[in-house]
Amino acid sequence: MIPQSFIQDLLARTDVVEVVGRHVTLKKAGINFKGLCPFHGEKSPSFIVSPSRQTYHCFGCGVHGNALGFLMENGGLGFVEAVKELAQMQGMPVPDDNSSPQDRERAKAQKEKQATLTDVMAQAMKHWKQQLKITPRAVKYLKGRGLTGEIAARFALGYAPENWRGLASAFPKYDDPILVEAGLVITQDPQPGENEGKRYDRFRDRIMFPIRNPQGEVIGFGGRVLDKGEPKYLNSPETPVFTKGRELYGLYEGRAALRNKGYAIVTEGYMDVVALAQWGFGNAVATLGTACTAEHVQKLFRFTEHVVFSFDGDAAGRRAAGRALEAALPFATDTRRIGFLFLPAEHDPDSYIREFGAEAFEACVKKAVPLSRQIIEHASADCDLDTAEGRARLLAQAIPLIRQLPDGALKGQIADDLATQARTQPEEVRKRLHEGHNQGPRSGSGHGARQTTRGDGPDEIPVFEPDDFGAGDHWQPPDFDDGSYSGHQGGGPDGGYGDTSGGYPNRSRSSKWSGEGRQGKRWRDGTRWQKHGSPVAARPLPQAATPLDRIAWLLVNHSDFWEQLPESVHDLLCEQDPPYGEFFRWLDKTIVDQGVLPADDLMRQMRDNDDDFGQKPENGGRFTQLADRISRFLDLSEAKETVTSLLYMIKPLELELIREKLELLNQSGELSEAAESQKLELIRQSLALKLEISQKRPISG
């Protein structure tokens, strides 16, 4: 596990301006820096990086976080991956009690090998781009496919000449073994009487499609023949940096479009991705000649909450859709959307959009079959539903699929739909789902589940284990086991700014800006709190009752109020400093799992489910201390307030966040029209809130 003290020290030594500046051109703006947001298209800057707060915030799309959050958001990294990358930038070894010096040395050597391989492939990409410029036949082919020079440059397309040793002019040592390991050169066993075997380029007379990871490093290539020939597409072999079942073509190029469009289109070919980007669908990605895997789906959900799989309408397309369906099931939470787009059998996305245009393709996307219907259609493909045998077969084939879904409303709704199709009672379907639960694949529900991983790579299939911590229903990264951590999901960069102070000396209290997420995701989805990468440090609690004490006290007495609060208020409360933010997240989980509870039961569970993960100090952990404060300062039998009065208790917190936003805007000079417009709106909100608060205060004298 990575100690929180290390995370805090790492962030204290990191300059967020330097980290963000590696990917965004920043200019000084007062005491801050500004630039064009990398997460949405804009022509004037609304993206601000604050050295004093050590945070970034975009007033155009709402994304925000600290240095770790930026690495996760920009590169699609998991929390532990981002920590390791940031630690490498700072030259700090990441503590890992479970690894030996030999393991760490091997990991270091592997990292160096990976860097060498990506450097070699970047050089090959540069060489092939130059070859494309001087090869009219290759340029003519791309123009014939409707591609412009701009889109070819965006995807770094190239051309591998019809030359057995074309790369000899790109590398000083053509016999370097690293070229073979990178999959660029093939070597044969030596023939009798020869000292060494023949060496030749793997890719010849092909349009070259560089495959880049989310960080922009070249990790492999796909090559397409210009004329007739076999194979039509040739991919790099798997290497230490390239695994076909994990990588997606176009993901690096499409990161901004994924966020702007709000969804991803998964296709089956390189040319589909490039052609769709040419027509305004830069949110397309492609699998690399393999079926869609769980790793592919998991990676996509780091960038968006809506995925549309696009397949041909023929039998092969239906089979591919079935494999994609099964890969996606464990990740289909209630807040995510998964659709299946079936084009006419004679078309793929490339040919369809060129023949019918962008509007027609957009209309097809909107008509994509939702996951709920696709499960039933997939399971009933060979079932005669007019017979009892066919309906029984449908149940037998559909229930194992539904069982893989995370627990939640979607799972229950699909089970009810299945009951209707099979002409049986919903209770019977739910009973059969429950009976096989222990034998079925394990999946995370997002409630009371903690995610770990199995495997050696960064994108392993997640395995969910029971949450024995009790505090908060968001999963903890596998190597970070501290309840005081809160951050973003996910997938979507909405919600709170998080507390990035982390106990740093002489650093102001950070903002926790909530309720402005671009995709409106709830924090319960188990991902958002990791994305901003913001560890928070416990602070000494005041000796007198605070407004947050009173809010917690009222919600303990009236837990039914929680579900009556707006989602933005949930976000605001859940993003408060420890122990309050942790308490409100725990309260949300408890109400979801157990429903409304009496105050005494909640107080008992607060003490039983303390947040110190088994390390109980003499005076109890933070939850126990909070329960004691509530009991000491306030009378549990006197909670007479209503939801309306609770909302008025929360309004000063909202006003504080608005003031922090205005302060950052005022510090940053001239910004985009969107940011300036938001400044006026914030001023209006501030005045309205001040008036509301003053009207509820008694006038002295």
Side-chain angles (χ1 to χ4, degrees):
M1 111 182 140
I2 304 176
Q4 181 173 346
S5 59
F6 174 80
I7 306 294
Q8 294 173 354
D9 187 29
L10 175 62
L11 286 173
R13 298 188 189 191
T14 299
D15 182 3
V16 69
V17 176
E18 178 186 354
V19 174
V20 175
R22 296 185 179 202
H23 306 273
V24 179
T25 301
L26 298 175
K27 295 181 179 179
K28 199 78 167 69
I31 65 171
N32 300 313
F33 291 82
K34 65 183 178 182
L36 298 178
C37 179
F39 306 116
H40 82 287
E42 60 178 7
K43 295 182 179 179
S44 56
S46 58
F47 184 81
I48 299 173
V49 183
S50 171
S52 60
R53 290 181 173 87
Q54 282 296 299
T55 55
Y56 63 91
H57 184 88
C58 178
F59 285 92
C61 66
V63 64
H64 45 262
N66 63 9
L68 280 176
F70 184 83
L71 292 177
M72 296 165 74
E73 184 79 14
N74 189 61
L77 301 179
F79 179 74
V80 175
E81 295 172 88
V83 170
K84 291 180 178 179
E85 182 166 327
L86 191 60
Q88 185 179 32
M89 292 180 191
Q90 302 302 321
M92 297 173 63
V94 179
D96 185 352
D97 297 335
N98 297 323
S99 63
S100 65
Q102 294 81 3
D103 290 337
R104 288 194 290 271
E105 193 63 33
R106 279 193 294 269
K108 180 181 178 181
Q110 183 182 23
K111 189 74 174 179
E112 292 173 351
K113 172 59 71 66
Q114 291 173 344
T116 302
L117 287 170
T118 55
D119 287 346
V120 165
M121 284 186 273
Q123 180 63 28
M125 177 186 73
K126 182 178 178 181
H127 171 73
W128 285 327
K129 284 176 63 178
Q130 293 297 324
Q131 293 299 312
L132 175 62
K133 293 178 181 179
I134 61 175
T135 309
R137 173 168 159 264
V139 173
K140 181 180 179 181
Y141 171 82
L142 293 178
K143 287 183 176 180
R145 298 297 297 262
L147 302 183
T148 64
E150 180 183 0
I151 206 72
R154 176 180 167 188
F155 285 86
L157 301 187
Y159 171 69
E162 192 174 6
N163 188 328
W164 287 93
R165 296 169 65 91
L167 288 176
S169 61
F171 295 96
K173 294 180 60 179
Y174 187 72
D175 59 350
D176 191 334
I178 197 68
L179 298 180
V180 176
E181 191 169 359
L184 300 174
V185 169
I186 296 174
T187 182
Q188 294 181 337
D189 293 332
Q191 297 296 319
E194 295 180 345
N195 293 327
E196 60 179 28
K198 295 180 180 179
R199 301 170 69 88
Y200 53 93
D201 292 0
R202 179 181 299 274
F203 300 101
R204 304 178 305 281
D205 194 27
R206 291 178 180 269
I207 297 294
M208 299 303 298
F209 297 82
I211 302 165
R212 295 187 270 205
N213 63 18
Q215 293 75 50
E217 298 170 326
V218 184
I219 56 175
F221 293 93
R224 191 197 189 285
V225 294
L226 271 71
D227 303 312
K228 294 182 180 180
E230 294 296 335
K232 183 178 179 181
Y233 281 98
L234 179 65
N235 291 318
S236 291
E238 297 202 349
T239 69
V241 296
F242 180 55
T243 303
K244 296 177 185 178
R246 290 179 179 172
E247 305 300 338
L248 290 160
Y249 177 70
L251 185 58
Y252 170 75
E253 292 81 1
R255 293 170 304 160
L258 285 171
R259 293 176 174 88
N260 293 338
K261 287 280 191 179
Y263 65 94
I265 302 173
V266 183
T267 68
E268 297 182 272
Y270 300 107
M271 193 59 74
D272 291 330
V273 173
V274 181
L276 287 175
Q278 174 78 60
W279 284 83
F281 292 87
N283 53 323
V285 298
T287 55
L288 306 176
T290 64
C292 185
T293 66
E295 289 93 333
H296 288 144
V297 179
Q298 182 186 28
K299 182 169 286 190
L300 277 173
F301 278 130
R302 291 179 177 176
F303 293 87
T304 181
E305 293 291 274
H306 184 188
V307 175
V308 176
F309 295 99
S310 176
F311 300 100
D312 299 343
D314 57 14
R318 293 283 173 178
R319 288 193 297 271
R323 291 190 290 269
L325 170 69
E326 295 184 13
L329 288 173
F331 306 99
T333 64
D334 291 348
T335 59
R336 290 171 174 168
R337 293 172 60 194
I338 299 172
F340 296 82
L341 166 61
F342 295 99
L343 296 173
E346 67 274 16
H347 281 293
D348 56 25
D350 175 22
S351 64
Y352 188 92
I353 201 167
R354 282 194 287 134
E355 181 170 343
F356 299 105
E359 290 185 6
F361 185 78
E362 183 80 53
C364 289
V365 172
K366 291 179 179 178
K367 294 178 182 178
V369 178
L371 175 78
S372 57
R373 196 160 78 232
Q374 182 63 21
I375 289 177
I376 306 299
E377 290 184 4
H378 179 68
S380 62
D382 56 352
C383 302
D384 181 358
L385 299 185
D386 291 330
T387 66
E389 292 84 353
R391 294 191 294 273
R393 183 180 180 87
L394 168 62
L395 287 170
Q397 294 181 165
I399 283 177
L401 297 176
I402 299 174
R403 194 176 288 142
Q404 295 181 56
L405 290 166
D407 293 335
L410 177 64
K411 188 174 186 177
Q413 292 288 334
I414 296 175
D416 291 347
D417 288 348
L418 174 62
T420 300
Q421 292 289 324
R423 302 182 198 174
T424 187
Q425 296 300 314
E427 293 77 12
E428 174 65 21
V429 174
R430 292 174 185 258
K431 178 183 176 183
R432 293 182 63 174
L433 284 171
H434 180 72
E435 286 174 349
H437 179 74
N438 293 332
Q439 288 75 39
R442 303 180 64 189
S443 62
S445 67
H447 298 300
R450 175 168 58 92
Q451 186 180 28
T452 60
T453 55
R454 291 176 184 166
D456 300 324
D459 297 310
E460 302 87 339
I461 302 175
V463 179
F464 289 84
E465 298 177 353
D467 186 348
D468 55 353
F469 298 153
D473 81 345
H474 60 286
W475 60 264
Q476 292 287 353
D479 295 322
F480 184 77
D481 209 13
D482 191 296
S484 63
Y485 170 69
S486 68
H488 180 71
Q489 129 1 159
D494 60 301
Y497 208 171
D499 181 355
T500 55
S501 60
Y504 309 137
N506 302 319
R507 182 163 296 174
S508 63
R509 181 177 181 272
S510 67
S511 303
K512 294 180 282 294
W513 301 345
S514 62
E516 63 173 350
R518 289 169 299 164
Q519 298 171 11
K521 295 194 295 290
R522 285 295 300 275
W523 75 272
R524 293 177 187 165
D525 64 10
T527 51
R528 204 190 81 192
W529 294 89
Q530 276 73 30
K531 195 79 173 230
H532 297 315
S534 302
V536 291
R539 302 167 184 272
L541 293 173
Q543 296 304 306
T546 67
L548 281 168
D549 287 323
R550 188 167 183 82
I551 293 168
W553 161 77
L554 186 54
L555 284 169
V556 165
N557 281 275
H558 292 286
S559 56
D560 58 304
F561 287 1
W562 181 257
E563 288 300 322
Q564 300 178 53
L565 296 175
E567 185 171 311
S568 60
V569 172
H570 285 168
D571 290 340
L572 177 63
L573 293 177
C574 289
E575 291 165 345
Q576 296 300 310
D577 292 337
Y580 301 104
E582 293 168 341
F583 164 72
F584 293 122
R585 298 197 293 273
W586 171 83
L587 178 67
D588 184 84
K589 169 191 182 300
T590 302
I591 292 173
V592 168
D593 291 345
Q594 304 177 40
V596 175
L597 295 174
D600 290 340
D601 286 354
L602 278 173
M603 294 287 282
R604 176 182 53 78
Q605 290 194 41
M606 284 177 68
R607 292 184 168 93
D608 291 343
N609 294 291
D610 214 329
D611 63 326
D612 281 77
F613 308 119
Q615 300 177 4
K616 301 271 189 180
E618 292 182 3
N619 60 343
R622 290 198 292 274
F623 273 25
T624 297
Q625 293 178 32
L626 179 59
D628 291 342
R629 286 174 65 80
I630 293 175
S631 300
R632 183 168 68 252
F633 291 135
L634 302 161
D635 189 339
L636 292 177
S637 64
E638 294 183 357
K640 308 299 183 185
E641 283 86 349
T642 63
V643 172
T644 301
S645 60
L646 174 59
L647 286 169
Y648 274 104
M649 293 181 195
I650 295 168
K651 289 193 181 298
L653 300 177
E654 297 175 345
L655 180 59
E656 180 184 355
L657 300 187
I658 289 175
R659 285 171 173 167
E660 290 179 347
K661 288 185 181 182
L662 281 170
E663 180 185 359
L664 188 56
L665 279 167
N666 290 330
Q667 291 171 347
S668 303
E670 184 178 352
L671 294 169
S672 67
E673 290 184 8
E676 294 298 331
S677 175
Q678 189 171 133
K679 182 191 293 186
L680 295 177
E681 176 61 19
L682 289 172
I683 292 173
R684 187 197 65 77
Q685 292 177 10
S686 174
L687 293 173
L689 267 176
K690 287 178 181 178
L691 180 60
E692 281 190 78
I693 293 170
S694 65
Q695 288 175 341
K696 287 295 178 178
R697 285 178 179 166
I699 300 176
S700 60

